[in-house]
Amino acid sequence: MPSPLLSEHTPAEQSSRVETVDNLDLLLEVLPSAVRESLGHDPQLQTLLEVVIDLGRPPEARYTEHTVYLRENAINREDLQFIVSRVGTFTHDNRAGIPSTLHRISALRNRTGDIIGLTCRVGRAVFGTVNIVKDIIIQDKKSVLLLGPPGVGKTTLLREAARVLADEAGKRVIVVDTSNEIAGDGDIPHPAIGRARRMQVPSPDLQHKVMIEAVENHMPEVIVVDEIGTEAEATAARTIAERGVRLIATAHGSALENLIQNPTLADLIGGIQSVTLGDEEARRRGTQKTVLERKAPPTFDVLIEIHDRTHFAVHHDVAEAVDAFLRGRPPRMEMRAHQQDGHVEITQITPTPTLSAVPSPESQSERRKVLRIFPYGINRHRLEQVIHDLDAPARLMSHPAQADVVLTVKGQLKRQPRELRALIEQGLSLYTLRSDTMMQMGKFLRERLAESFPEDQSAIADAEAAIEQVIEHQEPVELAPQKPRLRRLQHEFVKRYGLVSKSEGEEPFRRLVVYPAQ
């Protein structure tokens, strides 16, 4: 039975243009004259991403869609020294900058430490990108985590969030700028962060200490930090939140599921732990006795998934979203899209409950055939947890020759390492998951086992149809007679929807009747 989305489309109140400031003239000034003149006459200069200067090769200009050589002559050491002498000091991570800009110069060195190449990355301050979530950033007093893969504009959004909080909301904002990507190089921060103050970080591995120092020494109302990626930084973020200071931060990932499955960053959304329930509680929930639950309140109250520069997904209540995910329910979320006319379209998405597999007790006489699985390149512990939670008739094998199926992910299949190629050449049955997640593993088990148990699937289908009718018409529906085990399975499905079911009649004609919620 499909799970329709109950959506409501409303335009956001805010509407404005996106403007870009790039200070390209200051970047051109540090380049050798021949390179500078070639770039200066390029009509596509506004799409320039970086200039690559490598010893012994012609200089390259890399644009969004193409790359061009800027001169025929190769770069020599004098060209490299010309640039190095005009930029800021290179730190231990081989980065330097141009004061009062967001441009970044990264060095390639030989084994003796001499610079043999430079990547001159164009940094642009983009104004207007925050409009898609400006109401959350300014009006909400909750901590916000921006989640997205590299290159989708997380740092750009973070920079503008610091500005609007400091200038428009009048907050005391401290930016913890680990690599000077938020406020640029030099002692004077870039105007793009407005009145926000900036703390530089001596070394990336000290970011967590500077985060705590910012709270203890400078009395901020808001801390802005880019790329939380270590356990120490996650712990520092929780400490800051517990002290009543609001956090606006970014992390790598594409969806909430990534954080749940990342042991390093899971604490940002409350942490995950295995809990053993009592018999009564397990029956009430309709789950196994051992389940995964959120360990603590989330550090961040709101999670914003950045799918691309114009499409965001917002989880307004992280605790509720994590709990829903762990119980096999799709969380409620809000989809936002930045339209070409400047308006933001907001779509409220409230999925209906989905029917997922539930435990089905069975007697020895009804024991099902066990599916033997050899996991390759996927999390074995996670797969064991899914098998346990679903009470699935499956076992993990330590050798592929013992298995009925080899289970892997598409990424492994694309790379085809030697061991996997050997398994394929042996003609073993292979099944690939889209990703190494518990949801994908559960889907595989249900689909694969469904082929072996048509009786179970028929009973589930009858229950699904009855549930749909009861929800739509609010009248009792009687199901076809089933065996005791299958009736128990149907009872569990009905309970998941908050409806009431009772077994009526005498064997062998005893059947389920589904009633509307009381």
Side-chain angles (χ1 to χ4, degrees), residues 220-502:
E221 294 176 281
V222 184
I223 293 284
V224 173
V225 59
D226 199 11
E227 292 188 15
I228 294 179
T230 68
E231 185 176 352
E233 291 161 5
T235 302
R238 176 168 292 278
T239 301
I240 291 170
E242 289 173 349
R243 295 186 184 185
V245 178
R246 188 182 178 201
L247 275 162
I248 310 292
T250 67
H252 284 310
S254 58
L256 172 65
E257 185 176 349
N258 300 134
L259 291 181
I260 292 175
Q261 296 169 354
N262 186 331
T264 302
L265 300 182
D267 187 57
L268 298 178
I269 45 89
I272 308 301
Q273 64 182 352
S274 180
V275 176
T276 301
L277 305 175
D279 293 338
E280 184 176 341
E281 178 66 12
R283 284 194 297 270
R284 187 183 68 81
R285 294 191 186 187
T287 65
Q288 290 287 315
K289 292 184 65 175
T290 302
V291 297
L292 295 177
E293 286 194 347
R294 182 167 46 84
K295 188 188 307 182
T299 299
F300 291 88
D301 309 288
V302 179
L303 175 68
I304 300 176
E305 300 173 3
I306 305 177
H307 297 165
D308 57 47
R309 296 180 185 272
T310 58
H311 294 84
F312 291 18
V314 181
H315 298 277
H316 284 281
D317 189 332
V318 171
E320 180 184 274
V322 172
D323 293 345
F325 182 89
L326 293 177
R327 296 186 181 185
R329 303 193 307 267
R332 291 181 297 173
M333 69 178 71
E334 185 178 89
M335 304 302 296
R336 297 192 174 198
H338 207 157
Q339 306 298 317
Q340 291 185 352
D341 62 3
H343 284 80
V344 177
E345 184 180 66
I346 299 177
T347 306
Q348 303 289 346
I349 299 183
T350 307
T352 59
T354 57
L355 295 177
S356 57
V358 296
S360 51
E362 55 184 347
S363 66
Q364 291 295 325
S365 61
E366 293 176 311
R367 184 171 299 277
R368 297 164 289 178
K369 180 182 176 182
V370 173
L371 177 66
R372 299 173 299 175
I373 303 170
F374 176 74
Y376 183 89
I378 62 177
N379 190 307
R380 188 182 185 95
H381 175 74
R382 193 178 299 157
L383 181 55
E384 287 177 337
Q385 181 68 46
V386 174
I387 292 173
H388 181 273
D389 289 347
L390 297 180
D391 192 25
R395 286 179 56 197
L396 301 189
M397 312 307 293
S398 58
H399 194 278
Q402 304 169 320
D404 301 314
V405 62
V406 175
L407 187 63
T408 187
V409 291
K410 286 188 176 179
Q412 293 284 352
L413 191 61
K414 289 181 180 179
R415 289 191 292 271
Q416 285 211 6
R418 183 177 58 185
E419 298 86 351
L420 185 58
R421 286 202 305 271
L423 296 178
I424 295 174
E425 290 169 359
Q426 293 172 21
L428 294 174
S429 178
L430 185 71
Y431 189 97
T432 57
L433 306 177
R434 280 191 306 157
S435 58
D436 185 19
T437 65
M438 296 181 74
M439 290 184 67
Q440 286 292 307
M441 293 172 182
K443 180 181 178 183
F444 157 73
L445 289 170
R446 290 191 293 270
E447 290 179 351
R448 181 62 184 247
L449 297 174
E451 299 173 1
S452 304
F453 309 109
E455 187 181 47
D456 287 28
Q457 295 306 309
S458 175
I460 292 172
D462 287 347
E464 290 177 344
I467 290 168
E468 189 174 30
Q469 291 182 45
V470 171
I471 291 176
E472 182 177 357
H473 302 292
Q474 292 298 302
E475 293 180 358
V477 175
E478 185 173 291
L479 277 64
Q482 298 286 357
K483 299 176 182 178
R485 177 179 66 83
L486 299 179
R487 289 202 306 274
R488 286 194 293 270
L489 183 61
Q490 291 175 331
H491 275 299
E492 295 292 347
F493 273 104
V494 172
K495 187 186 298 183
R496 288 287 178 95
Y497 268 66
L499 302 179
V500 178
S501 59
K502 295 180 180 179

Side-chain angles (χ1 to χ4, degrees), residues 75-86:
I75 291 292
N76 54 41
R77 294 189 183 276
E78 288 72 23
D79 293 326
L80 290 172
Q81 184 57 37
F82 181 91
I83 300 173
V84 170
S85 65
R86 283 163 173 75

Side-chain angles (χ1 to χ4, degrees), residues 53-58 74-78 80 115-118:
I53 309 289
D54 284 341
L55 183 65
R57 295 179 175 179
I75 291 292
N76 54 41
R77 294 189 183 276
E78 288 72 23
L80 290 172
I115 293 177
I116 58 173
L118 295 169

